[in-house]
Amino acid sequence: MIEIFQNEPLNQRNSMKVEAIAKVFIRFDAEEDYRQLINHLNEKSKPWILLGGGNNILFKPFFDGVVLYPRLFGIHRKEVISGTEDLIEVAASEDWDQFVAWSLENGYMGLENLSLIPGTVGAAPVQNIGAYGAEVEQFIEWVEGWNFETEQMQHFSRSECEFAYRDSIFKKKLKNSLLITKVGFRLSRRGELNANYGDVKARLSAIESPGAADLRQVIIDIRQSKLPDPALIPNAGSFFKNPVIPMEAMEALRKIYPEMPVYPVDSERCKLAAGWLIEKAGWKGRSLGKAAVHHQQALVIINQNGASGEEILELAAAIQADILQIFGIRLEMEVNIV
Ligand code: EPU
């Protein structure tokens, strides 16, 4: 069924809780609807966006376009790949963390590192969600979606998804042409816990012969202690990506800041912690208007008192300008601006 709303408020549909209105808002819940949606999208070639949980998005006050809001549910065990591995097909609107919980309850392991990441299953491959040493691409076998340009279902193997750090083909070439409808996960019932990430290792070592459920609990505890709960303090998780820079640039900075955290990427590049840079630049806990940098995790921008999308962008721009001036690094936003 397709339902169409005009001038729909989006305040409760974005985790930053900014006030925004969409000119057209379309909710739909069945595969038969995809073909019809195109009629609404073609009209004067309006821009359109796809809305999942609204966790990685920052709206400006008026979106003069169409918001597509799919409601596609279902988790199915599709096939047995081997004695220990199964293919699980999950519809796009399923809640990510509920799927992680389902996977552990059903005896699979691996997804526990990605516990408590807000959002939907369909959004997970778009920015290749990652945390505590894992990225969702490791578990994805394929992604399926409706292509509005070809008006056909399209299937992508893992390599065709062009996954990279917080990036994929869905964020680039296929932005605004593909509606992800289902994701196929290859999940295993056996394996080693992925527990080498600093904080995780320390906390898990206190537990005797820990299992995947213990690791999930450790991750939940760490996230709850560092990251503000969007239900209580509006935010969009990491606002910026961790910057990837050439080795020589990193070495020059390390001479000035020997304590700066650095993570390897490949032989020529490494990744820095944007949170560290922002804290070092003096922004942690500071506010500008009604927007602020969280006092425990400088990578997170919070909406304190009904800030608008534009006020939040002003704070982001001020931070970017300082980081460029102090460290010579351009911070890229992780959230999508609409
Ligand atoms: N740090 C600071 N000050 C801060 C925050 C961090 O000095 O205010 C330092 C930490 O001490 C640490 C380093 O920066 O040495 C990295 O911090 P942390 O491990 O907390 O992770 P992060 O780089 O800040 C990334 C992801 C998070 C993910 C965590 C854990 C990005 C953009 N963010 O954050 O993902 O949960 O690692 O794996 O890659 C998200 O994308 O929304 C998100 C929350």
Side-chain angles (χ1 to χ4, degrees):
M1 186 175 65
I2 296 186
E3 292 168 285
I4 301 172
F5 306 87
Q6 309 287 336
N7 294 319
E8 176 74 6
L10 301 170
N11 314 16
Q12 295 307 319
R13 298 193 193 278
N14 72 92
S15 66
M16 270 284 190
K17 299 271 166 31
V18 299
E19 303 239 346
I21 298 220
K23 190 163 180 198
V24 182
F25 184 90
I26 306 180
R27 185 162 65 197
F28 58 98
D29 61 9
E31 211 159 306
E32 306 81 76
D33 298 334
Y34 309 154
R35 214 168 270 282
Q36 281 185 48
L37 286 172
I38 196 78
N39 304 330
H40 303 284
L41 298 178
N42 271 348
E43 228 179 291
K44 291 191 228 125
S45 65
K46 283 173 187 151
W48 63 273
I49 59 145
L50 194 62
L51 187 62
N55 291 288
N56 202 44
I57 208 161
L58 181 63
F59 286 115
K60 291 187 179 176
F62 185 69
F63 178 56
D64 191 11
V66 181
V67 172
L68 293 180
Y69 187 57
R71 307 274 72 209
L72 306 166
F73 296 98
I75 302 180
H76 303 284
R77 202 168 316 208
K78 279 306 259 201
E79 66 181 272
V80 175
I81 299 176
S82 70
T84 56
E85 278 186 321
D86 291 336
L87 186 87
I88 315 293
E89 184 183 286
V90 190
S93 310
E94 288 287 344
D95 176 74
W96 172 260
D97 189 57
Q98 281 176 20
F99 170 53
V100 174
W102 178 96
S103 73
L104 293 176
E105 279 155 22
N106 285 274
Y108 301 105
M109 57 185 300
L111 297 183
E112 57 276 7
N113 293 59
L114 305 176
S115 288
L116 220 62
I117 295 183
T120 60
V121 168
V126 178
Q127 60 152 346
N128 187 15
I129 57 170
Y132 306 103
E135 281 185 323
V136 77
E137 65 171 295
Q138 296 165 243
F139 306 97
I140 290 180
E141 188 70 5
W142 49 256
V143 172
E144 216 171 85
W146 175 258
N147 189 316
F148 286 106
E149 271 154 32
T150 61
E151 296 191 43
Q152 272 171 352
M153 288 306 292
Q154 203 174 348
H155 184 94
F156 300 84
S157 64
R158 181 189 316 178
S159 66
E160 287 167 342
C161 295
E162 296 176 13
F163 287 123
Y165 167 63
R166 292 298 195 276
D167 209 1
S168 72
I169 192 170
F170 312 112
K171 235 176 140 170
K172 292 181 171 155
K173 254 178 270 169
L174 292 169
K175 193 174 178 174
N176 295 343
S177 56
L178 195 86
L179 161 70
I180 293 177
T181 55
K182 279 179 203 160
V183 182
F185 292 89
R186 186 190 191 111
L187 297 186
S188 175
R189 293 176 188 280
R190 254 191 244 142
E192 305 253 311
L193 292 182
N194 174 0
N196 285 321
Y197 200 87
D199 271 11
V200 174
K201 201 175 188 170
R203 293 203 191 202
L204 207 65
S205 64
I207 302 171
E208 207 180 310
S209 42
D214 298 306
L215 180 49
R216 171 170 167 79
Q217 196 51 52
V218 161
I219 304 270
I220 289 176
D221 292 346
I222 295 176
R223 289 189 73 97
Q224 286 178 337
S225 70
K226 282 197 179 171
L227 294 165
D229 178 355
L232 306 174
I233 303 174
N235 76 86
S238 297
F239 199 91
F240 301 100
K241 289 189 191 182
N242 282 332
V244 174
I245 65 166
M247 285 297 180
E248 308 88 74
M250 178 277 285
E251 271 148 22
L253 280 173
R254 255 223 167 140
K255 286 201 182 112
I256 313 171
Y257 310 103
E259 77 285 13
M260 178 178 78
V262 176
Y263 309 96
V265 172
D266 53 35
S267 60
E268 281 143 40
R269 299 169 312 155
C270 59
K271 194 155 77 182
L272 304 185
W276 186 90
L277 298 170
I278 296 168
E279 179 171 351
K280 197 79 191 169
W283 276 105
K284 197 170 185 169
R286 256 174 78 188
S287 44
L288 187 70
K290 296 173 190 148
V293 177
H294 193 245
H295 66 285
Q296 275 163 322
Q297 165 55 286
L299 199 44
V300 175
I301 292 186
I302 60 173
N303 183 352
Q304 277 181 316
N305 266 312
S308 67
E310 270 141 359
E311 283 173 286
I312 289 169
L313 281 177
E314 275 169 34
L315 171 61
I319 294 171
Q320 283 173 317
D322 273 4
I323 300 298
L324 184 61
Q325 203 211 337
I326 302 171
F327 304 102
I329 290 173
R330 276 177 209 285
L331 278 191
E332 222 181 288
M333 293 191 215
E334 186 187 308
V335 296
N336 297 305
I337 315 297
V338 172

